[in-house]
Amino acid sequence: MNMYLPVLLVVLSNTFYNICAKSTPQDLNPFASLSITYLVGAAASIALYFLTGNSPQLLAEYAKLNWSSFVLGFSVVGLESGFILMYRVGWKINTAQVVTSLLLAVVLVFVGYLLYREAITASKIAGILVCMAGLYLLNR
């Protein structure tokens, strides 16, 4: 697989994700909206499993699960409801994702160091400073 295809998938999906999050009706409870989102997501995931998987044994695959799939589910709810709520309180689509991505990048440098023993280099520290300068400029 070309290493840029997943990046393209993430960018394209994230573009539609933010458009949809900002377009969620104001008077709709975000968790009602997300319940439909996850039903569609579950159906799509199961269909893609069978279209792309080597084994038709979905239950056997489920037996391999660990804690991460369950925590990821809660994380996704927090992520998606957070964006819906950010847009409802007035964040602009052209800054909300950038601000959260920059903050996340900074946090993940330290997570990488603490949990995975990834090096914190001078260039990563410089990147953090550039991110902070970018956050300042975006919020002026």
Side-chain angles (χ1 to χ4, degrees), residues 62-79:
Y62 285 162
K64 300 175 190 176
L65 292 172
N66 69 2
W67 62 270
S68 65
S69 296
F70 300 96
V71 173
L72 183 60
F74 286 111
S75 300
V76 171
V77 170
L79 176 69

PDB file of all heavy atoms in Angstrom, residues 62-79:
ATOM      1  N   TYR A  62     -13.274 -11.022  17.257  1.00  0.00           N
ATOM      2  CA  TYR A  62     -13.668 -10.344  18.490  1.00  0.00           C
ATOM      3  C   TYR A  62     -12.969 -10.950  19.707  1.00  0.00           C
ATOM      4  O   TYR A  62     -12.695 -10.250  20.677  1.00  0.00           O
ATOM      5  CB  TYR A  62     -15.182 -10.404  18.688  1.00  0.00           C
ATOM      6  CG  TYR A  62     -15.979  -9.472  17.790  1.00  0.00           C
ATOM      7  CD1 TYR A  62     -17.336  -9.696  17.595  1.00  0.00           C
ATOM      8  CD2 TYR A  62     -15.399  -8.390  17.152  1.00  0.00           C
ATOM      9  CE1 TYR A  62     -18.096  -8.857  16.777  1.00  0.00           C
ATOM     10  CE2 TYR A  62     -16.143  -7.550  16.341  1.00  0.00           C
ATOM     11  CZ  TYR A  62     -17.491  -7.791  16.161  1.00  0.00           C
ATOM     12  OH  TYR A  62     -18.228  -6.960  15.366  1.00  0.00           O
ATOM     13  N   ALA A  63     -12.672 -12.233  19.659  1.00  0.00           N
ATOM     14  CA  ALA A  63     -11.996 -12.892  20.777  1.00  0.00           C
ATOM     15  C   ALA A  63     -10.584 -12.339  20.982  1.00  0.00           C
ATOM     16  O   ALA A  63     -10.009 -12.493  22.059  1.00  0.00           O
ATOM     17  CB  ALA A  63     -11.946 -14.400  20.548  1.00  0.00           C
ATOM     18  N   LYS A  64     -10.016 -11.693  19.982  1.00  0.00           N
ATOM     19  CA  LYS A  64      -8.667 -11.121  20.069  1.00  0.00           C
ATOM     20  C   LYS A  64      -8.650  -9.715  20.663  1.00  0.00           C
ATOM     21  O   LYS A  64      -7.576  -9.145  20.864  1.00  0.00           O
ATOM     22  CB  LYS A  64      -8.042 -11.067  18.673  1.00  0.00           C
ATOM     23  CG  LYS A  64      -7.904 -12.407  17.999  1.00  0.00           C
ATOM     24  CD  LYS A  64      -7.398 -12.207  16.576  1.00  0.00           C
ATOM     25  CE  LYS A  64      -7.453 -13.475  15.768  1.00  0.00           C
ATOM     26  NZ  LYS A  64      -7.044 -13.233  14.366  1.00  0.00           N
ATOM     27  N   LEU A  65      -9.808  -9.150  20.937  1.00  0.00           N
ATOM     28  CA  LEU A  65      -9.876  -7.776  21.435  1.00  0.00           C
ATOM     29  C   LEU A  65      -9.194  -7.633  22.788  1.00  0.00           C
ATOM     30  O   LEU A  65      -9.166  -8.567  23.588  1.00  0.00           O
ATOM     31  CB  LEU A  65     -11.338  -7.330  21.568  1.00  0.00           C
ATOM     32  CG  LEU A  65     -12.124  -7.147  20.285  1.00  0.00           C
ATOM     33  CD1 LEU A  65     -13.588  -6.896  20.592  1.00  0.00           C
ATOM     34  CD2 LEU A  65     -11.548  -6.010  19.460  1.00  0.00           C
ATOM     35  N   ASN A  66      -8.675  -6.445  23.038  1.00  0.00           N
ATOM     36  CA  ASN A  66      -8.182  -6.107  24.366  1.00  0.00           C
ATOM     37  C   ASN A  66      -8.864  -4.817  24.812  1.00  0.00           C
ATOM     38  O   ASN A  66      -9.802  -4.339  24.174  1.00  0.00           O
ATOM     39  CB  ASN A  66      -6.648  -6.009  24.383  1.00  0.00           C
ATOM     40  CG  ASN A  66      -6.119  -4.822  23.602  1.00  0.00           C
ATOM     41  OD1 ASN A  66      -6.861  -4.009  23.052  1.00  0.00           O
ATOM     42  ND2 ASN A  66      -4.801  -4.700  23.544  1.00  0.00           N
ATOM     43  N   TRP A  67      -8.361  -4.216  25.842  1.00  0.00           N
ATOM     44  CA  TRP A  67      -8.959  -3.016  26.427  1.00  0.00           C
ATOM     45  C   TRP A  67      -9.012  -1.852  25.445  1.00  0.00           C
ATOM     46  O   TRP A  67      -9.887  -0.989  25.548  1.00  0.00           O
ATOM     47  CB  TRP A  67      -8.180  -2.602  27.679  1.00  0.00           C
ATOM     48  CG  TRP A  67      -6.754  -2.245  27.367  1.00  0.00           C
ATOM     49  CD1 TRP A  67      -5.682  -3.097  27.353  1.00  0.00           C
ATOM     50  CD2 TRP A  67      -6.250  -0.973  26.973  1.00  0.00           C
ATOM     51  NE1 TRP A  67      -4.546  -2.436  26.989  1.00  0.00           N
ATOM     52  CE2 TRP A  67      -4.859  -1.116  26.747  1.00  0.00           C
ATOM     53  CE3 TRP A  67      -6.821   0.271  26.788  1.00  0.00           C
ATOM     54  CZ2 TRP A  67      -4.056  -0.056  26.347  1.00  0.00           C
ATOM     55  CZ3 TRP A  67      -6.016   1.331  26.388  1.00  0.00           C
ATOM     56  CH2 TRP A  67      -4.652   1.155  26.182  1.00  0.00           C
ATOM     57  N   SER A  68      -8.089  -1.813  24.487  1.00  0.00           N
ATOM     58  CA  SER A  68      -7.960  -0.627  23.639  1.00  0.00           C
ATOM     59  C   SER A  68      -9.199  -0.346  22.797  1.00  0.00           C
ATOM     60  O   SER A  68      -9.563   0.814  22.598  1.00  0.00           O
ATOM     61  CB  SER A  68      -6.724  -0.737  22.743  1.00  0.00           C
ATOM     62  OG  SER A  68      -6.861  -1.799  21.820  1.00  0.00           O
ATOM     63  N   SER A  69      -9.871  -1.375  22.310  1.00  0.00           N
ATOM     64  CA  SER A  69     -11.070  -1.152  21.500  1.00  0.00           C
ATOM     65  C   SER A  69     -12.188  -0.515  22.314  1.00  0.00           C
ATOM     66  O   SER A  69     -12.937   0.323  21.801  1.00  0.00           O
ATOM     67  CB  SER A  69     -11.563  -2.472  20.904  1.00  0.00           C
ATOM     68  OG  SER A  69     -10.593  -2.990  20.017  1.00  0.00           O
ATOM     69  N   PHE A  70     -12.290  -0.881  23.566  1.00  0.00           N
ATOM     70  CA  PHE A  70     -13.337  -0.341  24.425  1.00  0.00           C
ATOM     71  C   PHE A  70     -13.032   1.104  24.827  1.00  0.00           C
ATOM     72  O   PHE A  70     -13.908   1.967  24.773  1.00  0.00           O
ATOM     73  CB  PHE A  70     -13.527  -1.241  25.650  1.00  0.00           C
ATOM     74  CG  PHE A  70     -13.921  -2.643  25.265  1.00  0.00           C
ATOM     75  CD1 PHE A  70     -12.971  -3.635  25.153  1.00  0.00           C
ATOM     76  CD2 PHE A  70     -15.235  -2.944  24.959  1.00  0.00           C
ATOM     77  CE1 PHE A  70     -13.319  -4.917  24.770  1.00  0.00           C
ATOM     78  CE2 PHE A  70     -15.597  -4.223  24.569  1.00  0.00           C
ATOM     79  CZ  PHE A  70     -14.639  -5.213  24.475  1.00  0.00           C
ATOM     80  N   VAL A  71     -11.791   1.377  25.196  1.00  0.00           N
ATOM     81  CA  VAL A  71     -11.399   2.737  25.551  1.00  0.00           C
ATOM     82  C   VAL A  71     -11.472   3.638  24.317  1.00  0.00           C
ATOM     83  O   VAL A  71     -11.876   4.800  24.408  1.00  0.00           O
ATOM     84  CB  VAL A  71      -9.995   2.764  26.201  1.00  0.00           C
ATOM     85  CG1 VAL A  71      -9.511   4.188  26.427  1.00  0.00           C
ATOM     86  CG2 VAL A  71     -10.017   1.986  27.512  1.00  0.00           C
ATOM     87  N   LEU A  72     -11.108   3.093  23.149  1.00  0.00           N
ATOM     88  CA  LEU A  72     -11.217   3.853  21.911  1.00  0.00           C
ATOM     89  C   LEU A  72     -12.661   4.286  21.665  1.00  0.00           C
ATOM     90  O   LEU A  72     -12.918   5.406  21.230  1.00  0.00           O
ATOM     91  CB  LEU A  72     -10.687   3.032  20.731  1.00  0.00           C
ATOM     92  CG  LEU A  72     -10.662   3.710  19.370  1.00  0.00           C
ATOM     93  CD1 LEU A  72      -9.781   4.959  19.383  1.00  0.00           C
ATOM     94  CD2 LEU A  72     -10.178   2.731  18.308  1.00  0.00           C
ATOM     95  N   GLY A  73     -13.613   3.408  21.972  1.00  0.00           N
ATOM     96  CA  GLY A  73     -15.022   3.764  21.827  1.00  0.00           C
ATOM     97  C   GLY A  73     -15.388   4.981  22.667  1.00  0.00           C
ATOM     98  O   GLY A  73     -16.030   5.917  22.181  1.00  0.00           O
ATOM     99  N   PHE A  74     -14.961   5.004  23.928  1.00  0.00           N
ATOM    100  CA  PHE A  74     -15.227   6.163  24.782  1.00  0.00           C
ATOM    101  C   PHE A  74     -14.481   7.398  24.281  1.00  0.00           C
ATOM    102  O   PHE A  74     -15.010   8.511  24.315  1.00  0.00           O
ATOM    103  CB  PHE A  74     -14.835   5.867  26.232  1.00  0.00           C
ATOM    104  CG  PHE A  74     -15.785   4.941  26.929  1.00  0.00           C
ATOM    105  CD1 PHE A  74     -15.393   3.650  27.265  1.00  0.00           C
ATOM    106  CD2 PHE A  74     -17.077   5.341  27.250  1.00  0.00           C
ATOM    107  CE1 PHE A  74     -16.267   2.789  27.897  1.00  0.00           C
ATOM    108  CE2 PHE A  74     -17.964   4.487  27.890  1.00  0.00           C
ATOM    109  CZ  PHE A  74     -17.549   3.207  28.216  1.00  0.00           C
ATOM    110  N   SER A  75     -13.259   7.191  23.800  1.00  0.00           N
ATOM    111  CA  SER A  75     -12.471   8.305  23.284  1.00  0.00           C
ATOM    112  C   SER A  75     -13.138   8.944  22.070  1.00  0.00           C
ATOM    113  O   SER A  75     -13.161  10.174  21.940  1.00  0.00           O
ATOM    114  CB  SER A  75     -11.064   7.841  22.896  1.00  0.00           C
ATOM    115  OG  SER A  75     -10.393   7.310  24.005  1.00  0.00           O
ATOM    116  N   VAL A  76     -13.675   8.117  21.202  1.00  0.00           N
ATOM    117  CA  VAL A  76     -14.324   8.632  19.994  1.00  0.00           C
ATOM    118  C   VAL A  76     -15.575   9.432  20.361  1.00  0.00           C
ATOM    119  O   VAL A  76     -15.851  10.477  19.779  1.00  0.00           O
ATOM    120  CB  VAL A  76     -14.628   7.486  19.010  1.00  0.00           C
ATOM    121  CG1 VAL A  76     -15.490   7.945  17.858  1.00  0.00           C
ATOM    122  CG2 VAL A  76     -13.335   6.889  18.490  1.00  0.00           C
ATOM    123  N   VAL A  77     -16.331   8.950  21.350  1.00  0.00           N
ATOM    124  CA  VAL A  77     -17.511   9.700  21.796  1.00  0.00           C
ATOM    125  C   VAL A  77     -17.076  11.066  22.323  1.00  0.00           C
ATOM    126  O   VAL A  77     -17.676  12.093  22.001  1.00  0.00           O
ATOM    127  CB  VAL A  77     -18.311   8.921  22.865  1.00  0.00           C
ATOM    128  CG1 VAL A  77     -19.392   9.796  23.489  1.00  0.00           C
ATOM    129  CG2 VAL A  77     -18.929   7.670  22.267  1.00  0.00           C
ATOM    130  N   GLY A  78     -16.011  11.097  23.119  1.00  0.00           N
ATOM    131  CA  GLY A  78     -15.517  12.377  23.640  1.00  0.00           C
ATOM    132  C   GLY A  78     -15.032  13.287  22.530  1.00  0.00           C
ATOM    133  O   GLY A  78     -15.326  14.482  22.515  1.00  0.00           O
ATOM    134  N   LEU A  79     -14.316  12.723  21.586  1.00  0.00           N
ATOM    135  CA  LEU A  79     -13.799  13.497  20.461  1.00  0.00           C
ATOM    136  C   LEU A  79     -14.929  14.094  19.635  1.00  0.00           C
ATOM    137  O   LEU A  79     -14.954  15.298  19.364  1.00  0.00           O
ATOM    138  CB  LEU A  79     -12.925  12.588  19.585  1.00  0.00           C
ATOM    139  CG  LEU A  79     -12.369  13.164  18.302  1.00  0.00           C
ATOM    140  CD1 LEU A  79     -11.317  14.216  18.611  1.00  0.00           C
ATOM    141  CD2 LEU A  79     -11.773  12.051  17.460  1.00  0.00           C
TER     142      LEU A  79
END
